[in-house]
Amino acid sequence: MGVLRKDCDDAKPVHKCLTEHLNYTDDLPTSGPHRPLWPVYGEYKYVPPQRWIHSLEHGGLVFLYHPCADPDEIKKFKSLARGCLRRHIIAAYKLLPPGMSFAVLAWKCKLVLSDVETGLITRYAKSRALKGREKVSSNGQYKAGLIRLAHVVTDFHDSKICPEAIDLENYMQPIQKQSKSRQKRNREAEVRFSARMARYLGIQ
């Protein structure tokens, strides 16, 4: 299980029309020049970087998966994206780093993983979603390759991110504390029992 995390993209956001060529130094750009029309939120066969950057600028998240990744992992990844926020883009993408199958992009940030780690992705989404340079909730006009339209999760403005997701690490903490407390009580009971047995055997 591997994670590659980068938070260092700081290219200038400039709108470029179709007549202007765009080049990116990173295969997973999260800021920089992009097309004026941003995508309708939802799942796509493919979305080019110059379109998804505009969605990131508005605070959306982009969920990319390698088409050769495990189908069950892809299914889990898509379900996680749909349950986190309405402003999401899901698409297949082949230019992920070697050994990595999934990526979650936010404005000027990215999280790249070899496996779908639900807790990590959820925490990342909660900390990075809606942090774009512009606060725009509406859909764009670009929809080439759209497979499935995104649906509202909490409300149109995504006031709560990943509302149904359970952060396993935080969920387990009270259980672990309870378990440690129970273990302590059990040890104390064993000590008391041993002391009673010692006294009993001493009398005999």
Side-chain angles (χ1 to χ4, degrees), residues 77-89:
F77 188 65
K78 290 181 179 181
S79 178
L80 181 58
R82 295 187 193 109
C84 269
L85 74 168
R86 180 188 62 84
R87 274 177 277 179
H88 71 260
I89 300 293

Side-chain angles (χ1 to χ4, degrees), residues 32-137:
H34 52 269
R35 301 303 183 200
L37 301 184
W38 66 96
V40 171
Y41 290 109
E43 181 181 348
Y44 288 77
K45 292 181 179 178
Y46 171 76
V47 176
Q50 60 266 32
R51 299 293 181 178
W52 82 46
I53 290 175
H54 204 153
S55 298
L56 300 180
E57 186 181 29
H58 290 175
L61 295 180
V62 174
F63 293 78
L64 303 175
Y65 62 91
H66 195 284
C68 294
D70 180 87
D72 289 336
E73 287 282 282
I74 293 175
K75 184 178 179 180
K76 182 165 65 172
F77 188 65
K78 290 181 179 181
S79 178
L80 181 58
R82 295 187 193 109
C84 269
L85 74 168
R86 180 188 62 84
R87 274 177 277 179
H88 71 260
I89 300 293
I90 302 171
Y93 193 66
K94 293 182 178 180
L95 299 181
L96 295 173
M100 299 295 166
S101 298
F102 302 93
V104 183
L105 311 184
W107 179 244
K108 295 188 177 182
C109 303
K110 60 174 72 75
L111 177 67
V112 187
L113 311 100
S114 59
D115 305 282
V116 178
E117 299 183 46
T118 303
L120 180 58
I121 293 173
T122 298
R123 291 193 295 275
Y124 183 80
K126 288 183 176 183
S127 66
R128 297 297 186 180
L130 314 186
K131 299 292 178 63
R133 193 175 68 94
E134 300 174 351
K135 308 302 180 185
V136 179
S137 300

Side-chain angles (χ1 to χ4, degrees), residues 80-202:
L80 181 58
R82 295 187 193 109
C84 269
L85 74 168
R86 180 188 62 84
R87 274 177 277 179
H88 71 260
I89 300 293
I90 302 171
Y93 193 66
K94 293 182 178 180
L95 299 181
L96 295 173
M100 299 295 166
S101 298
F102 302 93
V104 183
L105 311 184
W107 179 244
K108 295 188 177 182
C109 303
K110 60 174 72 75
L111 177 67
V112 187
L113 311 100
S114 59
D115 305 282
V116 178
E117 299 183 46
T118 303
L120 180 58
I121 293 173
T122 298
R123 291 193 295 275
Y124 183 80
K126 288 183 176 183
S127 66
R128 297 297 186 180
L130 314 186
K131 299 292 178 63
R133 193 175 68 94
E134 300 174 351
K135 308 302 180 185
V136 179
S137 300
S138 61
N139 278 311
Q141 295 172 295
Y142 180 87
K143 54 183 178 181
L146 180 65
I147 299 172
R148 179 173 178 172
L149 188 66
H151 295 291
V152 170
V153 178
T154 51
D155 54 51
F156 187 76
H157 300 290
D158 294 305
S159 60
K160 190 173 183 180
I161 305 299
C162 305
E164 300 299 326
I166 296 176
D167 187 330
L168 189 59
E169 181 179 325
N170 292 332
Y171 177 76
M172 288 298 293
Q173 282 180 355
I175 296 176
Q176 291 169 346
K177 288 179 181 178
Q178 182 183 31
S179 178
K180 289 179 180 178
S181 176
R182 184 173 299 169
Q183 289 174 5
K184 183 180 179 181
R185 290 197 300 271
N186 289 341
R187 285 195 298 269
E188 291 172 348
E190 288 174 2
V191 169
R192 290 194 297 271
F193 176 77
S194 297
R196 288 198 299 270
M197 287 299 296
R199 289 196 297 271
Y200 173 77
L201 293 174

